[in-house]
Amino acid sequence: MTLPPETIILNGRLITFDSACPRAEALAIADGRIAAVGSTAEIRALVGPGSRVIDAGGATVLPGFIDSHVHLFGGSVELGCLDLTGVQGEAALTAKVREWAARHPQDRLVFAVQADYAILGPGLRTTRQALDRVLPERPFAMFAPDHHTIWANTEALEAAGLLRGGAVEAGAQIVMSADGLATGELQEPSAYAPVLRMTRHAGRDMMGLVTGADPQPPATAAERALDKAALEQGLKHCASHGITGLHNMDGNFYQLELLAEMEAEGTLLCRTEVPFHYKSPDPLDRFAEAEEMRRRFNSDMVWCNRVKMFMDGVVESGTALMLQPYPGTDHIGDAVFEPEHFNAACIRADAMGLQIATHAIGDLAVRRTLDGYAAARAANGARDSRHRIEHIEVLHADDLPRFKELGVLASIQPGHAPFGGYFPPGGVGAMLHRQQISLAYAYQKIRESGARVIFSTDWPVIPVDVMRSVKAAVAPLELEAPWCSQAQSLMDTLESYTAGNAWAEFNERRKGQLKPGMMADVVVMSHDLEAMEPETLDQARTAATLCGGRITWEA
């Protein structure tokens, strides 16, 4: 080292994920890289006149967290929305919504997020008539936590042109009643897109999910400034949780352009990969856009090397695709892709060298996704593709060994499970057959099969708070049989949030370890995580976050 390091971290309990030196006390950072790792005495000797010294005080120091499944733009915008987390019953909902509406008279649509599927009460379906009582004179709509359903009142449905139904893509539905009018329940993006166009950002924050295309008409200069301001707040929020990297799960050129501008301006606080979003109505020729995205955006801070697809919906709305009908019904869910089209898309993406990430929640959706990846391997030959399946909430035993056989990553969100501490435990169980539960949210069983497991939040479905998800993995709620424990070890969990996620993005030689030469993406925690009781892990916070050696957050 020819120059003194810019930053020194001392007195830490470093978990390096470097097999040659798994533990250490201190590190030095120079020119955006980790320059040295060692004892506090060794690293203290490197302090120069311009070095900034951070005393970790005996707390854990880790590679920066990488949240490998987020919706950055939507999560950023929702920080400024009415949050209905924990609200139950029509009276409580009415009070919350009317108070918010009174404070925001300028909003064309009163819009809320995190509305539970049973927000009106157990067994009660949310209808436009109920929401008319909640807010009778203004358009009002609310998002389910999973972002697969919006409920809207009559004013909102009329303003969006949906009261009498409309055309939607495969797997989506404007739920209609016997009188020929919409019930108020809008399932999946193409059904609820017209409602989003009435929000403050006119749906631009969700465009990468809903269409994968850019806003039309193009965003004005004022709209771009508004959107970038929201993204700045969202990235600060992520950095405050120790996050240095994000794998976005929706994408378009517009979002990439905004992030690239922020990189140039110095306001991009987290490295962010944005995918090409391929939709079921799209022809294969649209993959030319993926090649253009990859060519134009390839920096260490903003890049595209992945395609995102959806195979199904979610269990709670009965849109996840199942091998057998939901209990008491003849409905197996809704397929977003037909197998032939999905297989052809996988073959094309794989031939281009793109990584594939597919949302698949039901056991039939998971099977069809594995079939598509197998078809790509058969057509193009085996390669180190690191294709991913997102969520995997229900799995058939026959498909468990296929993850390892095909080299497929299991991309999992511990907080989504009924034992994850966020959602009511009974909701999902009522939608599953008893024999499905043994491999539902089977994180540990998937890990034990030899498959690579990575962790994330799916923000804003749940908060981007890493330590709450760590607790959900290490100390899940205990549920009665047939549910069985899927508890993870602390080290496996931390690896799946750091080195594992760096591996998932093909960056294991550059980040995800505290090792000389690696990118200086580092998080200093408030506690020694290994000394904490598992049930208290969510009390640990981030003391400092560094991305590329730059301090992006300090408590």
Side-chain angles (χ1 to χ4, degrees):
M1 191 185 313
T2 57
L3 295 174
E6 294 104 19
T7 304
I8 296 279
I9 299 173
L10 303 175
N11 298 317
R13 295 184 63 86
L14 273 62
I15 301 174
T16 69
F17 296 109
D18 173 11
S19 59
C21 177
R23 302 286 176 155
E25 296 177 330
L27 61 81
I29 295 170
D31 196 25
R33 302 272 173 178
I34 296 174
V37 175
S39 69
T40 289
E42 290 169 335
I43 302 302
R44 193 192 302 277
L46 302 177
V47 174
S51 300
R52 175 167 185 172
V53 176
I54 297 174
D55 188 337
T60 298
V61 180
L62 292 159
F65 294 122
I66 300 172
D67 195 319
S68 58
H69 187 126
V70 298
H71 299 275
L72 170 62
F73 202 169
S76 299
V77 166
E78 289 187 19
L79 292 174
C81 290
L82 170 60
D83 189 336
L84 298 176
T85 299
V87 174
Q88 285 290 313
E90 187 173 319
L93 176 62
T94 299
K96 272 271 196 182
V97 170
R98 291 186 181 181
E99 189 273 335
W100 179 272
R103 288 195 289 112
H104 299 89
Q106 75 284 359
D107 285 355
R108 180 184 177 193
L109 171 74
V110 178
F111 190 63
V113 298
Q114 296 295 321
D116 190 80
Y117 275 88
I119 194 168
L120 297 179
L124 298 178
R125 294 190 71 87
T126 301
T127 65
R128 64 181 172 87
Q129 291 89 349
L131 298 187
D132 289 345
R133 295 192 297 271
V134 170
L135 194 67
E137 297 177 356
R138 289 176 64 183
F140 167 61
M142 57 187 194
F143 233 152
D146 57 36
H147 291 64
H148 286 260
T149 298
I150 279 180
W151 298 274
N153 70 358
T154 303
E155 291 269 357
L157 291 167
E158 285 186 320
L162 298 175
L163 185 60
R164 289 164 181 81
V168 298
E169 296 174 1
Q173 184 180 12
I174 301 169
V175 180
M176 305 298 291
S177 59
D179 63 5
L181 299 179
T183 66
E185 183 172 338
L186 309 169
Q187 297 178 351
E188 304 301 326
S190 68
Y192 59 62
V195 172
L196 292 178
R197 285 197 283 271
M198 297 189 292
T199 61
R200 293 176 188 169
H201 290 256
R204 293 185 302 276
D205 53 308
M206 296 292 288
M207 198 76 68
L209 178 70
V210 174
T211 69
D214 289 346
Q216 291 298 330
T220 65
E223 289 170 339
R224 292 177 76 93
L226 179 70
D227 294 345
K228 283 168 66 175
L231 284 166
E232 284 187 28
Q233 286 301 114
L235 288 161
K236 288 177 184 176
H237 184 66
C238 291
S240 75
H241 290 289
I243 293 169
T244 57
L246 300 166
H247 298 174
N248 213 43
M249 284 292 148
D250 61 83
N252 53 11
F253 282 103
Y254 180 65
Q255 194 168 175
L256 281 160
E257 288 167 357
L258 292 180
L259 294 172
E261 289 175 13
M262 294 173 68
E263 178 185 6
E265 295 161 1
T267 57
L268 185 61
L269 303 183
C270 303
R271 306 182 195 275
T272 306
E273 183 191 19
V274 176
F276 164 70
H277 187 181
Y278 187 73
K279 304 277 289 180
S280 58
D282 293 339
L284 291 177
D285 289 348
R286 189 167 171 248
F287 274 98
E289 292 181 32
E291 186 57 50
E292 177 68 5
M293 283 184 175
R294 180 165 58 180
R295 184 189 65 80
R296 286 179 54 189
F297 302 98
N298 53 29
S299 76
D300 287 341
M301 292 297 295
V302 182
W303 73 101
C304 174
N305 191 45
R306 182 166 42 85
V307 58
K308 171 71 184 297
M309 293 186 279
F310 279 81
M311 183 57 79
D312 65 348
V314 292
V315 173
E316 289 83 350
S317 65
T319 55
L321 193 59
M322 298 294 189
L323 286 163
Q324 60 186 116
Y326 287 91
T329 78
D330 59 0
H331 179 61
I332 65 166
D334 300 308
V336 176
F337 276 90
E338 291 305 314
E340 296 79 9
H341 187 186
F342 180 75
N343 291 359
C346 288
I347 291 168
R348 176 67 64 90
D350 183 73
M352 295 171 65
L354 290 167
Q355 185 184 37
I356 307 170
T358 304
H359 166 117
I361 281 182
D363 46 14
L364 179 54
V366 173
R367 177 168 293 179
R368 287 186 178 179
T369 303
L370 290 166
D371 289 346
Y373 295 169
R377 175 176 283 208
N380 302 325
R383 70 178 182 89
D384 184 15
S385 61
R386 306 185 194 183
H387 297 325
R388 306 165 47 152
I389 301 184
E390 311 298 318
H391 308 307
I392 319 165
E393 294 184 0
V394 188
L395 178 64
H396 191 279
D398 291 349
D399 295 311
L400 178 58
R402 299 179 69 196
F403 282 82
K404 182 179 179 182
E405 291 167 4
L406 294 169
V408 174
L409 282 78
S411 174
I412 286 169
Q413 299 72 44
H416 286 202
F419 42 77
Y422 280 97
F423 303 121
V428 169
M431 300 292 287
L432 300 178
H433 296 278
R434 185 178 179 88
Q435 68 270 21
Q436 289 176 305
I437 290 177
S438 65
L439 279 177
Y441 306 89
Y443 312 153
Q444 185 61 20
K445 290 184 179 180
I446 294 172
R447 192 185 292 278
E448 289 170 356
S449 76
R452 193 77 183 247
V453 174
I454 56 175
F455 284 154
S456 56
T457 59
D458 197 8
W459 182 55
V461 172
I462 62 173
V464 77
D465 184 340
V466 172
M467 291 312 299
R468 284 189 67 182
S469 286
V470 169
K471 176 189 173 182
V474 177
L477 301 176
E478 294 185 10
L479 303 184
E480 294 182 359
W483 294 100
C484 55
S485 176
Q486 299 294 334
Q488 308 281 291
S489 74
L490 177 62
M491 292 305 294
D492 280 348
T493 300
L494 295 176
E495 193 276 344
S496 289
Y497 246 117
T498 55
N501 280 336
W503 187 89
E505 65 178 57
F506 298 89
N507 258 325
E508 68 272 20
R509 291 182 176 84
R510 306 174 71 222
K511 65 171 80 164
Q513 299 177 57
L514 301 182
K515 178 179 179 179
M518 291 282 185
M519 295 177 178
D521 295 356
V522 183
V523 56
V524 181
M525 301 303 299
S526 60
H527 291 65
D528 176 359
L529 301 183
E530 295 174 279
M532 299 179 75
E533 292 297 323
E535 296 77 13
T536 68
L537 282 165
D538 58 332
Q539 297 174 19
R541 312 313 300 163
T542 297
T545 308
L546 297 89
C547 183
R550 170 191 176 194
I551 294 178
T552 55
W553 168 261
E554 274 190 295

